[in-house]
Amino acid sequence: MDSRHVAEWARRTRVSARTRMTKKMVLLVTGSAAVLCLAGGGIAYAAGAIPGANGVINGCYNSNNGNLRVVATTASCRNSETAIS
């Protein structure tokens, strides 16, 4: 291999590595945008259900650890939680 071939090989290698990085960045940005959109949609959906139709905000209280969850209906409370409104 002479120097021209080495230089050509090096140039091609740099371009393909750059192309691979660009494709990875496009996939990363696209995937991140999709995740953010789904998360935002889930938050908007949950916020639309709280407070309920009667204007009451429902919650579930866990007396073991003190956690409080806001829920759409008290039927969503777990066995270890107490329903509160």
Side-chain angles (χ1 to χ4, degrees):
M1 236 169 148
D2 63 4
S3 62
R4 280 185 324 193
H5 290 105
V6 171
E8 180 65 20
W9 176 82
R11 186 185 66 76
R12 286 183 184 169
T13 303
R14 279 195 303 272
V15 169
S16 65
R18 199 174 304 142
T19 302
R20 280 193 306 267
M21 180 57 87
T22 302
K23 287 180 181 179
K24 286 180 183 179
M25 291 301 294
V26 167
L27 287 173
L28 179 66
V29 169
T30 304
S32 298
V35 167
L36 288 174
C37 287
L38 289 173
I43 291 169
Y45 174 76
I50 302 170
N54 58 1
V56 176
I57 297 174
N58 298 303
C60 301
Y61 174 72
N62 187 326
S63 59
N64 296 330
N65 58 20
N67 286 348
L68 176 65
R69 294 187 307 126
V70 177
V71 293
T73 66
T74 54
S76 303
C77 294
R78 298 177 183 129
N79 292 336
S80 61
E81 296 174 329
T82 303
I84 58 175
S85 298

